[in-house]
Every structure is written in C-alpha cells, then in structure tokens.
C-alpha cells in the first residue's frame, strides 16, 4: 500500500466522457452509437487501447463483451467485477452507460496511479447491446455472461437496418484482434455498476448518490374487452354493450387503487377501438397494461386485482374481458451487504445518499444471478434519459466515480 490513498482524477474522467461522446455525436448534443455498429467498435478500441497503455489485460468473449483486468495479489480469488455499457439509443445521451464504463476505468487508473495492491483482481466489463434498440434482446451481453452461452436464435436476428446480429458480432470481435477471446461467463466475487438514475428522485432531493436496493419487476398484459358494435346515434345506453365504457370504468378504479401504493406503477401506453369508426360503438377495445412493482408478490396481487376489476367492469357493461401476459420480468433485490457497502462508500467519499429502487432494467439485473451485486445512481438533469438532452452535472459524475472507488477498495480486499 502506498502512502497516498487513491483518488479520482476528475479532470481526466470528464475529458474521457467528452472524448467518448464525440464518437457518434449528434448535432443536438446527444449520441447515436448503437450496439455493434462502427461507432461501437471505435469506442471499444479506444478503451482497449487505454487499457493496454496502463498494462491491464484486455479480453473479449463470444458475446463481444470487453474486459479490462487489473491483477490482484491472489490470482486464485475470483475478481471483483465493475461494468456498464457503451452502446446508446438512436437519439441517446452522453452518460447512459458511458459514465459507468469510464468511471470504472478511472477507478482502475486511480488504483494504478496510487500503486494500491488489491487482493482480488478488479475487472471492468463493457456489456454488449444493453439498449436493445438495434437488436433484441437488450442486455444481450450480460445475459449471455450470466447464462454462460449465447442463445442460438439470437445470431439470425436482423436489425431495422437489415444487419444480421451474428455477422455484426463477428465483425465487432474481428475489429479488436489484440483482445484475446475467452470463454463466456466466469466466477466473480461481486458486481458493481454506476449508472445515471434516469428518473427525477435524486435531483429533486438534492442528493449526489443513490444506493440502489433492487430493480422493480415488469409485467405487460394485453387486454381485450369485447362488446357489440352499434349505431352511435340510435342506440340508447341501456341497449349498448360498450367495451369502451368498461375500459374507462376499470382504468378509473385501478388508477385510484394504484395511486395509494407509492411503489406500484400502472401505465396504459396503447389503446385501440375496433373497428374504429367515429360514429359507432366499438365492438372491441384492445389495450396494453405495463405493471411494475419491486416486490414479486405485490406484482402478482396487482395482476389479480387488474383481472378482477376488468371482469367486474366488463360485466357491468354486458361485455367480456380477457387478459394475456405478454412479457414478464421478475424483480430483483440486490444483496443487502452490497447495498450497505454502497451507502458506506458514499459516506466515506463525503456524498449524501438515499436508498432507491431502479425503475429501469440494467445489466446488473443479470449479474445479480451470479454474485452479490449493487448499483450506484447519480442524478441526471430533470430525470431525462434516452434523449439527446440527457445531462449529468460534472460534480455528480465525479461523486459517482468516488463512491465506486471507495466501494471497490472495500470489495476487492
Ligand atoms: Zn444504461
């Protein structure tokens, strides 16, 4: 251990964020650097080059996940893994993903600069295709790492630009010939991911750091309410079987119940009346429900309540309702000791924090299946993300990196 403790070089980190944001920069100040494109390959090569220059081991796997490892003193121990992603949405921002990767690299450099020896190796992972905007599924790289394999049907999928996923993966691997290919998956001791909050809570409360306790579950239902088409002018209410009346009644009651649970979220993002004539009672109303809750049992209870309310409202309007689950992602609770470690690390770094649940998916969801995991959130302006206007105050980017460094020092011993 050297005399001086390791410290984050704020200037170096902020300049790196600028340099990486220049790759795929959009005229309106955002970034378009979708997964496995030429731009994605360029930033992977930039990071690999920085890693080689610092003497770190650079490897990649069949999912084109990229790894930079700073060795520990005990090679028999599984490494501590830090990570995030470098791909963006088509009109994405400068910080979503890139902040976690570049802060992770800054942590490795800070350890190196101070000559700090950690018992475990500290490894930085860049996960492939977190966003899922060009190819499905999102979080492809972290899912493959957690499963130890690529799903066979992924390679044949095509993006909206016509590109085939298997071809783009191969070209991305070929573009980095200096990085040795290693098997998918590997034992790790723990996982830490720094990310922007993508919501308004930390900013509104004036806090620099969020200690993320978990990622809420998401369940999507497609609901069909069937009645009978009728003339809009000649059919009195008593003779109608109007599915829109049933939908309105059910949604009104559900919104009231959901508003009383501060953690529950219910969203109708799509609704369609069929046949869709301005002067006819519709025969059918089809709508989507996006349900979210951090607790699995609560999410089940919400689905039951939704089905009951829909059934009752449909009966009152002399209609029939059915609902099908079309997507189901279970919630994950992060390891309690890791969440406490993040809180303690924020305090040591001098930053106020609070606990919060992530409303969005992250690669950490899949890493939490392998090892104790946790996330560090920093505020972003107005909670805006997946948007070219996304912005993180430099002091919050630095606070996130400082918290990540303190957590790394504690987890890598
Ligand atoms: Zn992200």
């Amino acid at each position: 251990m050297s005399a001086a403790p390791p410290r984050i070089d704020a200037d170096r980190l902020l300049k790196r964020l600028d340099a990486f944001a220049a790759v795929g920069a959009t005229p309106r100040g955002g970034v378009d650097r979708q997964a496995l494109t030429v731009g994605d390959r360029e930033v992977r090569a930039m990071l690999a080059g920085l890693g080689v220059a610092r003497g770190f081991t650079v490897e990649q796997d069949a999912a084109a996940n990229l790894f930079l490892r700073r060795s520990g003193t005990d090679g028999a121990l599984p490494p501590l893994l830090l990570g995030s992603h470098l791909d963006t949405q088509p009109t994405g921002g400068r910080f979503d993903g890139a902040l976690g990767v570049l802060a992770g690299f800054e942590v490795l450099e800070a350890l190196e600069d101070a000559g700090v020896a950690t018992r475990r190796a500290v490894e930085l992972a860049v996960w492939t295709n977190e966003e899922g905007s060009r190819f499905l599924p999102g979080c492809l790289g972290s899912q493959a790492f957690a499963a130890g394999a690529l799903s066979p049907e992924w390679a044949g999928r095509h993006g909206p630009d016509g590109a085939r996923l298997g071809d783009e993966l191969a070209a991305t691997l070929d573009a980095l010939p200096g990085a040795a290919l290693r098997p998918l998956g590997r034992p790790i001791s723990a996982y830490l991911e720094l990310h922007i909050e993508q919501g308004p809570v930390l900013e509104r409360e004036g806090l620099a750091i969020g200690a993320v306790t978990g990622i809420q579950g998401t369940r999507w239902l497609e609901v069909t309410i069937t009645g009978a088409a009728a003339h809009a002018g000649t059919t009195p209410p008593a003779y109608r079987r109007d599915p829109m009346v049933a939908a309105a009644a059910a949604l009104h009651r559900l919104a009231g119940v959901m508003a009383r649970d501060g953690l529950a979220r219910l969203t109708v993002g799509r609704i369609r009346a069929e046949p869709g004539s301005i002067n006819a009672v519709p025969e059918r109303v089809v709508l989507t429900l996006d349900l979210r809750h951090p607790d699995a049992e609560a999410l089940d209870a919400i689905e039951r309540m939704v089905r009951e309310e829909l059934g009752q409202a449909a009966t009152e309007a002399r209609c029939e309702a059915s609902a099908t689950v079309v997507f189901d992602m279970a919630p994950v609770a992060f390891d309690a000791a890791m969440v406490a470690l993040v809180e303690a690390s924020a305090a040591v770094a001098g930053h106020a924090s609070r606990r919060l649940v992530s409303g969005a998916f992250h690669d950490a969801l899949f890493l939490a299946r392998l090892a104790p995991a946790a996330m560090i959130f920093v505020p972003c302006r107005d909670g805006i993300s997946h948007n070219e206007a996304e912005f993180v105050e430099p002091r919050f980017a630095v606070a996130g990196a400082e918290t990540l460094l303190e957590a790394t020092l504690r987890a890598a011993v």
Side-chain angles (χ1 to χ4, degrees), residues 85 96-97 130-131 195 198 362:
H85 61 97
D96 177 2
E130 190 273 347
E131 297 289 359
H195 204 279
Q198 302 180 285
H362 293 286

Side-chain angles (χ1 to χ4, degrees), residues 26 38 86 181 189-190 192 207 222-223 238 243 266 296 308 315 328 335 363 372 398 403:
T26 62
V38 170
L86 285 173
L181 195 66
S189 66
L192 283 166
L207 298 170
E222 189 172 87
V223 174
L266 177 148
E308 276 166 27
T315 302
D328 191 14
D335 181 81
D363 291 307
V398 173
T403 303

Side-chain angles (χ1 to χ4, degrees), residues 368-393:
R369 294 176 182 175
L370 290 183
M375 293 188 74
I376 302 165
F377 274 178
V378 294
C380 53
R381 188 166 62 199
D382 299 328
I384 292 173
S385 168
H386 286 192
N387 187 307
E388 291 164 283
E390 180 186 284
F391 181 74
V392 175
E393 296 262 359

